[in-house]
């Protein structure tokens, strides 16, 4: 149980285009999902907290108009990187908390984004 | 906001030896402290966690200790094996379903056979 999937696992896009990443909780309902960004050999940096049915809460320094987050259902949150640039290339990981469970958060497998 | 510091950044041990990784946190309201193991290119995997009402927790070769007064917690791995080699992250959070986690910078553990 407690499986989180992410799609796609990797994507290459051209500068100026937009990319959507999906995060799904497969066997539980996630009222809260988190989006992280991880650069090589660095820690996970929280970008935003996504709550089902409401606006996401962005961390300081994260552009909400560039990283659009939608949490339309209890099992799906999406991150759209708009007008991507090479500096947006990174490993994006989502995590989800089971609304009826303990404090543990379950991580997705991550999405490797490369912007050329 | 919460600040988590993790030491050391790299750790190399001989197979069979013990490894200890230490973290400190700043927000006294944090009450949930998980440890994650991340292999290259993969997702972080929870290996052990502890809540603030407990001082120590053990799971086979892995143990975590928490000192709330000093605001620090540590990961102990005994009888290390080469497959323990990975990056380990500590985190601190306020344990509600909406509580976000703050991660340490990570420790790269290398276990030499």
């Amino acid at each position: 149980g407690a499986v989180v999937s992410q799609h796609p696992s990797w994507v290459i896009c051209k500068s100026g285009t937009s990319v959507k990443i999906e995060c799904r909780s497969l066997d539980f309902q996630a009222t809260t999902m988190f989006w992280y960004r991880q650069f090589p050999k660095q820690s996970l940096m929280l970008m935003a907290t996504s709550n089902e049915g409401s606006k996401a809460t962005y961390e300081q320094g994260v552009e909400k108009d560039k990283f659009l987050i939608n949490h339309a259902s209890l099992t799906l949150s999406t991150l759209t990187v708009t007008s991507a640039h090479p500096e947006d290339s990174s490993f994006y990981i989502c995590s989800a908390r089971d609304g009826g469970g303990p404090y543990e958060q379950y991580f997705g497998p991550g999405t490797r984004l490369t912007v050329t | 906001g919460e600040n988590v510091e993790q030491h050391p950044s790299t750790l190399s041990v001989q197979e069979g030896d013990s490894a200890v990784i230490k973290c400190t946190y700043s927000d006294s309201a944090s009450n949930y402290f998980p440890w994650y193991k991340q292999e290259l290119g993969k997702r972080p995997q929870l290996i052990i966690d502890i809540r603030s009402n407990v001082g120590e927790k053990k799971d086979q070769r892995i143990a975590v200790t928490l000192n709330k007064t000093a605001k620090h917690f540590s990961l102990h791995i005994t009888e290390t094996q080469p497959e323990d080699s990975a990056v380990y992250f500590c985190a601190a959070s306020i344990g509600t379903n909406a509580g976000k986690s703050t991660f340490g910078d990570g420790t790269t553990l290398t276990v030499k056979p």
Side-chain angles (χ1 to χ4, degrees), chain B residues 61-72:
Chain B
R61 296 187 297 110
I62 296 173
V64 57
T65 58
L66 170 66
N67 183 326
K68 283 195 300 180
T69 303
K71 297 199 191 74
H72 66 70

Side-chain angles (χ1 to χ4, degrees), chain B residues 8-112:
Chain B
S9 56
T10 61
L11 180 59
S12 181
V13 300
Q14 208 65 39
E15 182 177 2
D17 288 349
S18 296
V20 179
I21 303 171
K22 299 182 179 182
C23 288
T24 61
Y25 62 99
S26 61
D27 190 345
S28 57
S30 291
N31 60 359
Y32 176 62
F33 308 93
W35 285 89
Y36 297 92
K37 176 183 180 182
Q38 187 180 29
E39 297 176 351
L40 191 62
K42 297 188 176 180
R43 77 185 83 192
Q45 297 274 13
L46 178 72
I47 55 172
I48 196 166
D49 57 11
I50 192 167
R51 300 188 189 186
S52 61
N53 58 347
V54 176
E56 184 174 357
K57 184 177 178 180
K58 190 174 181 179
D59 183 4
Q60 299 184 328
R61 296 187 297 110
I62 296 173
V64 57
T65 58
L66 170 66
N67 183 326
K68 283 195 300 180
T69 303
K71 297 199 191 74
H72 66 70
F73 56 112
S74 301
L75 176 71
H76 304 254
I77 306 175
T78 59
E79 299 172 27
T80 54
Q81 301 166 2
E83 50 265 38
D84 294 329
S85 297
V87 180
Y88 291 80
F89 292 100
C90 64
S93 68
I94 298 173
T96 67
N97 283 327
K100 60 184 182 182
S101 293
T102 302
F103 284 77
D105 287 340
T107 296
T108 301
L109 173 64
T110 302
V111 181
K112 299 177 181 178

Side-chain angles (χ1 to χ4, degrees), chain A residues 4 31-32 34 36 38 42-44 46 49 59 91 93 97-99 101-105 107-109, chain B residues 31-32 36 38 41-44 46 49 51 89 93-101 103-106:
Chain A
V4 176
T31 52
T32 302
F34 302 94
Y36 295 88
Q38 187 175 35
Q42 292 191 22
S43 187
L44 290 89
L46 181 65
T49 302
E59 294 299 301
F91 193 50
I93 308 177
R97 276 212 168 98
D98 185 340
Y103 303 160
E104 181 178 351
Q105 53 178 314
F107 284 88
Chain B
N31 60 359
Y32 176 62
Y36 297 92
Q38 187 180 29
K42 297 188 176 180
R43 77 185 83 192
L46 178 72
D49 57 11
R51 300 188 189 186
F89 292 100
S93 68
I94 298 173
T96 67
N97 283 327
K100 60 184 182 182
S101 293
F103 284 77
D105 287 340

Side-chain angles (χ1 to χ4, degrees), chain A residues 83-100:
Chain A
S83 187
H85 292 286
E87 56 265 29
D88 298 325
S89 299
S90 189
F91 193 50
Y92 292 88
I93 308 177
C94 70
S95 72
R97 276 212 168 98
D98 185 340

Side-chain angles (χ1 to χ4, degrees), chain A residues 5-24:
Chain A
S5 70
Q6 238 178 286
H7 178 81
S9 55
W10 60 271
V11 57
I12 301 172
C13 71
K14 292 188 176 181
S15 189
T17 61
S18 295
V19 173
K20 179 184 283 189
I21 302 170
E22 293 186 349
C23 178
R24 292 181 185 272

